[in-house]
Amino acid sequence: MKQYKNILVNALVNLGDVVLTTGAIALLKKAYPEARITMLVKPVVRQAVENNPVIDEVMVFDYKPKENSWGQMRAMAKDLKKRQFDLSISLDRKLRPALLAFLARIPERVGPSRVFGPKKSRVTWLYTRTVDIDYDLDKTLQADTYQNIVRGLTGQGAEEREEPVFARITPEAQERAKELLEKLPQAEKIIALCVKGTFPLKTWPKEYFAQVVEKLASEYKASFFVTGGPGDRTYADEVIAACPVPVANFCGETNLVELAALFKASDLLVSVDTGGGHIAAACQIPMVVMYGCTSPDRWHPINEKARVLTSREECCPCTVRTEECPSWPKPKCLWNIAPEAVLRECRELLQGGG
């Protein structure tokens, strides 16, 4: 197998995907233990991969897709060229990073034929080698697809598999988590909630979350908090208003590493399918995740303590817009996951059944 010394990994994807790609990078590191691995990411996810055991350096590419960013492209390509990478491997199959690697004259450029959707793309013309992804993406864990791209380069077998690796949790992050948790009522169990997905067809009903909180509060001496980004805070307040017990709103109050520290200190996460859930999975927290329009076959958290619930509607997984959902405003894929089913999984995990 040819050896490489200086590898660029392109992953200009969202948070959950970035966390999942780290398993592929761990596999890459295993194949080339002497290589320096640099990861190219969006600014919003950099904390997930900085100070990460399998990544030597993080480069941030800040651009807005609908704006003319040719000046940024030229500057980044110039920077990449100076670093003299001998291999670029794409985990996103996006045009910009593929073009950057081409302009930087990286001699070997590897990428997948597909990574998200069924369509092939002319982006692969910019690669020197294309890894064929020829299976049903919706029935395969996305983490495995990322690792299959690496296997296509290295020749490693399917039995060689690595789990996602999150950034190291710093003492400062632990202190911030402790500071937030001290605001909660004293309790025997700390339960985290992630109540809002990136779009409505991933967001479990507010009423259902409130019922779960009410029942868990009646059965356990528990304290609750909601996690999410700054933009989730108002929606979280609406969920909290429906809950009969105090629930703290920590949306927007942590960075990604501090969020991981919060999860590490918690006994359970009840969540919709979202990027924060993949951070929690990497922290190995017991978790229950409800899936709406997305497929748990593809997006299941990589965590033995994770329980997933889906109603397996005939129309799922789907990519329709919210208003195009035939059962909107009460999409069956979400409303058919009953609170009692979630509670059964929560009880078992809280009793040590993870």
Side-chain angles (χ1 to χ4, degrees):
M1 183 174 67
K2 182 174 179 179
Q3 292 298 307
Y4 299 95
K5 296 295 184 183
N6 196 12
I7 302 173
L8 176 68
V9 178
N10 301 315
L12 295 178
V13 286
N14 295 326
L15 175 59
D17 286 286
V18 166
V19 175
L20 294 177
T21 64
T22 59
I25 297 172
L27 199 63
L28 190 65
K29 194 74 169 178
K30 188 175 181 179
Y32 307 114
E34 302 302 319
R36 178 177 177 81
I37 296 179
T38 300
M39 194 169 183
L40 184 68
V41 299
K42 297 177 179 179
V44 70
V45 303
R46 68 183 301 168
Q47 291 169 342
V49 288
E50 285 181 328
N51 194 28
N52 190 299
V54 298
I55 298 163
D56 297 293
E57 184 179 1
V58 174
M59 296 180 69
V60 172
F61 187 37
D62 190 5
Y63 71 93
K64 295 181 180 179
K66 295 184 179 180
E67 291 184 2
N68 185 347
S69 55
W70 181 242
Q72 293 172 297
M73 290 285 291
R74 285 193 303 173
M76 180 59 76
K78 185 177 180 181
D79 191 4
L80 294 177
K81 187 175 181 180
K82 284 193 302 185
R83 294 169 185 258
Q84 297 184 319
F85 292 105
D86 51 11
L87 169 68
S88 168
I89 182 164
S90 171
L91 298 180
D92 54 28
R93 208 197 64 172
K94 289 180 178 289
L95 174 60
R96 276 181 173 83
L99 187 57
L100 283 172
F102 177 81
L103 294 173
R105 298 183 183 178
I106 299 175
E108 295 199 39
R109 304 179 299 278
V110 178
S113 60
R114 300 183 303 140
V115 69
F116 290 117
K119 294 182 180 179
K120 294 190 175 182
S121 169
R122 293 179 182 177
V123 170
T124 58
W125 292 0
L126 295 169
Y127 303 149
T128 58
R129 180 176 177 181
T130 300
V131 177
D132 190 29
I133 303 297
D134 60 356
Y135 47 77
D136 188 339
L137 291 169
D138 284 325
K139 295 181 179 178
T140 305
L141 279 175
Q142 189 69 17
D144 285 343
T145 292
Y146 292 132
Q147 294 191 40
N148 284 337
I149 298 169
V150 171
R151 292 187 187 103
L153 166 70
T154 64
Q156 291 162 295
E159 72 282 355
E160 293 195 60
R161 188 174 184 276
E162 297 291 330
E163 293 189 355
V165 183
F166 194 71
R168 297 180 183 92
I169 297 177
T170 63
E172 294 80 6
Q174 291 176 326
E175 187 60 33
R176 175 58 177 160
K178 181 181 177 182
E179 177 185 317
L180 288 170
L181 292 174
E182 285 176 348
K183 298 179 180 181
L184 302 180
Q186 287 192 342
E188 295 174 359
K189 301 290 184 181
I190 299 174
I191 299 175
L193 309 169
C194 184
V195 300
K196 187 174 184 294
T198 48
F199 49 87
L201 293 180
K202 293 174 71 174
T203 301
W204 204 48
K206 299 173 188 176
E207 302 95 310
Y208 285 4
F209 265 109
Q211 290 177 43
V212 168
V213 169
E214 179 178 17
K215 196 66 176 175
L216 290 177
S218 71
E219 297 177 11
Y220 301 90
K221 187 178 180 182
S223 58
F224 302 84
F225 67 88
V226 180
T227 71
D232 300 331
R233 192 168 185 87
T234 299
Y235 183 88
D237 279 337
E238 293 173 3
V239 176
I240 290 168
C243 294
V245 298
V247 179
N249 189 344
F250 292 161
C251 292
E253 295 196 26
T254 65
N255 62 32
L256 297 181
V257 181
E258 291 165 351
L259 177 60
L262 269 179
F263 287 143
K264 281 277 192 181
S266 301
D267 296 289
L268 176 70
L269 169 67
V270 184
S271 177
V272 297
D273 173 25
T274 189
H278 291 293
I279 293 177
C283 295
Q284 297 298 302
I285 177 179
M287 56 194 300
V288 180
V289 187
M290 293 77 73
Y291 286 79
C293 67
T294 53
S295 168
D297 298 333
R298 185 173 186 179
W299 301 105
H300 193 296
I302 311 300
N303 178 1
E304 291 183 356
K305 300 175 183 177
R307 305 291 179 84
V308 302
L309 292 168
T310 176
S311 64
R312 297 285 182 186
E313 302 298 324
E314 291 183 0
C315 54
C316 290
C318 79
T319 57
V320 302
R321 295 182 179 182
T322 301
E323 61 275 13
E324 295 172 346
C325 172
S327 55
W328 182 258
K330 291 189 174 183
K332 292 180 180 179
C333 59
L334 292 163
W335 285 81
N336 286 347
I337 302 174
E340 187 54 45
V342 174
L343 283 163
R344 280 196 297 269
E345 302 296 347
C346 291
R347 292 182 187 112
E348 186 168 343
L349 289 170
L350 287 170
Q351 292 164 7

